[in-house]
Amino acid sequence: MPFLGQDWRSPGWSWIKTEDGWKRCDSCSQELERENSQCTVTHDLILSSEDEEIFNNEECEYASKKRKKDHFRNDTNAQSFYREKWIYVHKESTKERHGYCTLGEAFNRLDFSSAIQDIRRFTYVVKLLQLIAKSQLTSLSGVAQKNYFNILDKIVQKVLDDHQNPRLIKDLLQDLSSTLCVLIRGVGKSVLVGNINIWICRLETVLGWQQQLQNLQMTKHVNSGLTLSDLPLHMLNNILYRFSDGWDIVTLGQVTPTLYVLSEDRQLWKKLCQYHFAEQQFCRHLILSEKGHIEWKLMYFTLQKYYPTKEQYGDTLQFCRHCSILFWKDSGHPCTAADPDSCFTPVSPQHFIDLFKF
């Protein structure tokens, strides 16, 4: 059936399924009409003030279409939203489905903008953005790039407001700025989606975020109630043993002299090394003190440079092996398996990237 419209490349109208049937979504079209009417009035004022007819009817119609097109292309604050918070991952064409799923499409569909507001998913999303910044930034489509930087903007503003996890975001922005510098310097060697000036503006934005985080001052909360220092030593020790990141232990040790002593415990760092690394890796990078004791703290940060550490997340994306669908567990997906829970597999950030490598 042929498509009848002003432009054969138009994607058509947006439709929403209701109990009474399919209805057209007119919110975007009404907004564009209001913007078009405002712009038309502005041009009329210019023409009347200068008393010259710059545009004829055909040119005005072309300018109107161009404004509508630019509304979707250049509105960097707009993000693509989908009702379903899951995506079917298919890498090849079949009789039922044609084409394949890309990383950018998955990034648009899985609602990472809402995920960063959940404390269980925050670290997971940041790690995923960091992996994309390191190796997959050029594979994102134009819309996915806008969503990526919009989500990153929300993350930075969240950190500036609540002062939580600044170190994670600093590492992410450092990797992103390094990647952008390489891409801009080597323009022409790699394919960049978008104008080079857009990438330069993005780099300037990232550098501005880094400066804001560098100037971030932690405010001291005045609380007359129970504080961390009032807890017994064994409870403080149990808190330190719950951490899986060595930098978190070092940071907590800077709060009070008591916590500093507890954070320097050799047994604590030994447990941390045994959790993240294998015994064979210890032998290759053994560090001894003058008294012949193993320096477990130095061992941890040395091994961290050579080997990846285990990752812990409060909540991750799930992959259904039966349906080949990627989704958030609380939002679910239309699974047809007899026992759906047995088909679900947690997806690490690196696994997410690997799913879309061809």
Side-chain angles (χ1 to χ4, degrees):
M1 179 177 178
F3 179 86
L4 300 178
Q6 293 183 348
D7 191 343
W8 62 271
R9 296 167 297 181
S10 174
W13 298 105
S14 297
W15 297 83
I16 298 178
K17 188 175 183 180
T18 63
E19 296 179 354
D20 300 329
W22 290 89
K23 292 185 178 181
R24 196 180 72 187
C25 181
D26 296 330
S27 58
C28 293
S29 60
Q30 292 175 359
E31 182 181 351
L32 286 174
E33 289 176 0
R34 289 195 300 268
E35 182 184 355
N36 187 22
S37 61
Q38 292 175 0
C39 293
T40 304
V41 173
T42 305
H43 282 300
D44 291 342
L45 291 175
I46 294 174
L47 292 174
S48 60
S49 61
E50 296 181 358
D51 198 20
E52 293 181 359
E53 294 185 357
I54 302 176
F55 298 107
N56 55 26
N57 293 334
E58 294 182 356
E59 290 173 335
C60 285
E61 183 179 358
Y62 170 78
S64 176
K65 290 182 179 179
K66 187 175 185 300
R67 283 195 299 272
K68 292 181 181 180
K69 191 180 296 182
D70 292 342
H71 174 82
F72 292 104
R73 286 185 176 178
N74 300 328
D75 186 9
T76 56
N77 294 324
Q79 185 175 346
S80 299
F81 294 97
Y82 296 86
R83 298 185 66 184
E84 298 86 2
K85 306 305 178 185
W86 52 266
I87 186 169
Y88 178 81
V89 181
H90 55 108
K91 296 186 177 182
E92 56 185 9
S93 298
T94 63
K95 292 181 179 179
E96 295 79 14
R97 292 178 178 271
H98 295 278
Y100 56 90
C101 179
T102 64
L103 175 63
E105 186 180 355
F107 190 78
N108 294 337
R109 291 286 296 271
L110 291 171
D111 193 23
F112 289 105
S113 182
S114 300
I116 62 175
Q117 304 302 328
D118 191 335
I119 191 172
R120 301 170 303 165
R121 301 174 180 174
F122 183 83
T123 307
Y124 179 83
V125 176
V126 171
K127 181 64 176 179
L128 181 57
L129 294 181
Q130 189 172 12
L131 290 177
I132 293 176
K134 287 181 178 180
S135 59
Q136 302 295 321
L137 197 60
T138 55
S139 67
L140 298 181
S141 63
V143 175
Q145 289 176 18
K146 292 179 182 179
N147 287 349
Y148 181 93
F149 283 93
N150 285 335
I151 293 171
L152 190 57
D153 183 28
K154 292 180 180 179
I155 289 177
V156 173
Q157 297 307 318
K158 185 177 185 297
V159 173
L160 293 175
D161 293 339
D162 58 23
H163 297 177
Q164 295 182 11
N165 300 305
R167 180 172 56 83
L168 291 176
I169 312 307
K170 288 180 181 179
D171 294 341
L172 166 59
L173 294 179
Q174 181 61 39
D175 291 336
L176 181 58
S177 61
S178 300
T179 302
L180 289 175
C181 287
V182 172
L183 291 175
I184 292 173
R185 290 198 194 103
V187 61
K189 299 179 181 179
S190 60
V191 179
L192 295 179
V193 178
N195 191 285
I196 183 62
N197 294 324
I198 296 177
W199 290 92
I200 294 175
C201 290
R202 287 170 177 167
L203 176 59
E204 293 175 351
T205 302
V206 171
L207 295 177
W209 287 336
Q210 287 181 306
Q211 189 63 40
Q212 292 179 28
L213 291 174
Q214 192 69 27
N215 299 332
L216 181 63
Q217 297 292 332
M218 298 296 181
T219 56
K220 186 175 181 180
H221 297 282
V222 179
N223 191 354
S224 57
L226 187 67
T227 63
L228 193 63
S229 303
D230 299 326
L231 297 176
L233 289 179
H234 72 277
M235 293 186 67
L236 293 175
N237 209 33
N238 287 336
I239 292 174
L240 287 169
Y241 271 84
R242 299 287 181 179
F243 288 160
S244 61
D245 190 341
W247 284 110
D248 291 336
I249 297 176
V250 173
T251 303
L252 186 59
Q254 297 173 349
V255 177
T256 63
T258 303
L259 287 171
Y260 174 76
V261 174
L262 293 175
S263 67
E264 294 293 320
D265 182 22
R266 294 179 64 253
Q267 192 66 22
L268 171 65
W269 290 98
K270 179 180 179 180
K271 292 286 187 183
L272 193 64
C273 287
Q274 291 176 342
Y275 172 75
H276 285 288
F277 309 107
E279 187 175 351
Q280 295 178 349
Q281 297 170 342
F282 295 159
C283 300
R284 297 175 184 173
H285 304 278
L286 197 62
I287 301 177
L288 300 176
S289 64
E290 296 179 354
K291 298 181 180 181
H293 300 301
I294 299 177
E295 294 286 353
W296 290 107
K297 182 178 179 180
L298 293 178
M299 283 271 292
Y300 170 80
F301 289 108
T302 302
L303 292 170
Q304 196 180 36
K305 298 177 181 179
Y306 297 98
Y307 309 104
T309 57
K310 291 183 179 179
E311 299 175 354
Q312 278 189 342
Y313 304 104
D315 189 17
T316 66
L317 286 168
Q318 302 285 320
F319 182 73
C320 180
R321 299 187 301 275
H322 180 268
C323 306
S324 296
I325 286 179
L326 198 61
F327 65 100
W328 292 107
K329 192 169 185 179
D330 59 352
S331 60
H333 76 288
C335 187
T336 58
D339 185 11
D341 293 338
S342 62
C343 304
F344 298 166
T345 303
V347 178
S348 67
Q350 185 59 54
H351 185 199
F352 179 88
I353 300 295
D354 294 338
L355 281 174
F356 302 98
K357 287 183 178 180
F358 302 103

